[in-house]
DNA sequence: TACCTAATTGAGACTCAGTCTCAACTATTG
DNA sequence: CAATAGTTGAGACTGAGTCTCAATTAGGTA
């Protein structure tokens, strides 16, 4: 079964009213791995320019609430969305030069996270874990030519 | 020696021109643990209203480039800055209910990060690692009364 | 099927955080 | 102290996202 059909079923089960606009937004979103809200706006408007920007943002929020999409901040530009519905948990590794994103799993980190929150008496609800670096290709090109904007400087410098 | 004197020395060593405005911004920034750009603007203007917003943002960018401050995204509101100059590396744990931020160290996670990037042939430059949960106190209050806005919903749900 | 009603939509005004521009000013060098 | 390259203040501007509200529509009900 197509992925968007499952999402629509989930929404219906949650009592969410389905409209043509929402169906289109869902169909376009599942076509991507990672996308920004404005990218989705342009994409959806390419299929139906009459769909308002506000509707697309509202639908995205709806999908977020329904647990269908997650919001990522990769420190460069606006947040990135990902349809994680029926997808195993993973963290991300990004090349700061070319922007390539790799999804990885490392259960031992997740175990340590539990140990950390226990140390402080917290109850863990969620986490973000993102690694930034240079992919094999970009390690061999002139480091001077940085293609990503200056805000993408290191947040936490690795010693 | 006062912390801001060391920062000023570092800037001078980097050939950065010191002005009264920049000195004030540095002195106010080191007074905080974590702060947003607009908080710093209000604070600095409290001491000298003639300092322009643009100057404060420019100085913040300068300090960022010089490795004096780091930028954090805690998924709620605008980014958070932290003067990490001469401070040991740490990650963050935040209570999604009351906003408390705890700084923690977990070297075993950093080791695993190296293993992950090696797996993909990457060269690690930096990372973000943030845990979100409920502090001891907030675990015992009515979960219905959520004080943080809806955008602070989970990004990566822990299984 | 037709109707009803609450939910949703489109359009555009609006907000907020941050950036840019440029003439006036100033820290540093010699 | 003069020269000059870097910095500043003020405000216009931008991008991304939110809000408002009259018009439209989904989905339940008769
Ligand atoms: Zn994870
Ligand atoms: Zn992903
Ligand atoms: Zn760390
Ligand atoms: Zn910190």
């Amino acid at each position: 079964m197509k992925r968007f059909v499952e999402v629509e079923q989930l929404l219906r089960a949650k009592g969410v009213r389905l409209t043509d606009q929402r169906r289109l937004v869902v169909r376009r979103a599942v076509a991507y791995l990672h996308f920004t809200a404005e990218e989705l706006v342009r994409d959806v408007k390419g299929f139906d320019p009459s769909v308002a920007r506000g509707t697309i943002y509202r639908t995205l929020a709806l999908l977020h609430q329904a647990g269908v999409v997650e919001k990522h901040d990769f420190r460069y530009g606006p947040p990135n969305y990902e349809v994680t519905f029926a997808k195993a948990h993973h963290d991300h590794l990004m090349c700061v030069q070319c922007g390539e994103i790799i999804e990885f799993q490392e259960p031992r980190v997740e175990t340590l996270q539990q140990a950390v929150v226990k140390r402080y008496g917290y109850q863990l609800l969620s986490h973000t874990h993102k690694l930034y670096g240079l992919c094999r290709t970009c390690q061999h090109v002139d480091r001077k030519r940085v293609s990503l904007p200056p805000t993408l400087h290191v947040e936490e410098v690795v010693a």
Side-chain angles (χ1 to χ4, degrees), chain A:
Chain A
M1 188 182 335
K2 285 277 165 42
R3 198 127 163 269
F4 68 80
V5 177
E6 295 176 275
V7 172
E8 286 176 14
Q9 279 177 352
L10 173 68
L11 293 178
R12 201 181 287 281
K14 293 212 171 207
V16 171
R17 193 176 287 192
L18 289 180
T19 64
D20 289 348
Q21 294 89 337
R22 286 178 177 176
R23 271 186 276 262
L24 178 57
V25 170
V26 167
R27 273 147 220 240
R28 294 313 306 149
V30 300
Y32 286 95
L33 192 57
H34 294 100
F35 57 93
T36 65
E38 290 299 319
E39 273 168 7
L40 185 62
V41 168
R42 279 192 295 278
D43 183 296
V44 166
K45 277 182 172 289
F47 286 83
D48 181 353
S50 78
V51 178
R53 221 162 63 93
T55 298
I56 298 168
Y57 272 89
R58 283 183 296 236
T59 305
L60 211 39
L62 197 73
L63 293 171
H64 191 209
Q65 275 175 254
V68 172
V69 310
E70 288 179 9
K71 200 175 177 181
H72 297 296
D73 193 311
F74 284 112
R75 299 190 295 188
Y76 160 52
N80 226 281
Y81 291 86
E82 174 179 13
V83 178
T84 46
F85 173 76
K87 215 175 150 182
H89 172 74
H90 57 267
D91 295 338
H92 298 87
L93 165 58
M94 186 189 195
C95 177
V96 298
Q97 186 83 19
C98 67
E100 178 187 57
I101 292 170
I102 286 182
E103 306 186 336
F104 68 88
Q105 288 178 288
E106 185 40 86
R108 285 170 293 177
V109 168
E110 320 269 330
T111 304
L112 287 167
Q113 290 169 347
Q114 290 296 344
V116 168
V117 299
K118 199 169 173 187
R119 200 187 297 167
Y120 298 101
Y122 269 59
Q123 178 192 343
L124 187 60
L125 293 177
S126 66
H127 67 266
T128 62
H129 187 209
K130 300 195 170 59
L131 308 183
Y132 298 88
L134 291 170
C135 69
R136 225 184 301 259
T137 308
C138 293
Q139 284 171 45
H140 302 302
V141 299
D142 183 7
R143 296 273 252 105
K144 295 279 160 24
R145 264 185 284 132
V146 173
S147 54
L148 294 178
T151 49
L152 188 54
H153 283 323
V154 293
E155 171 177 316
E156 296 170 4
V157 178
V158 174

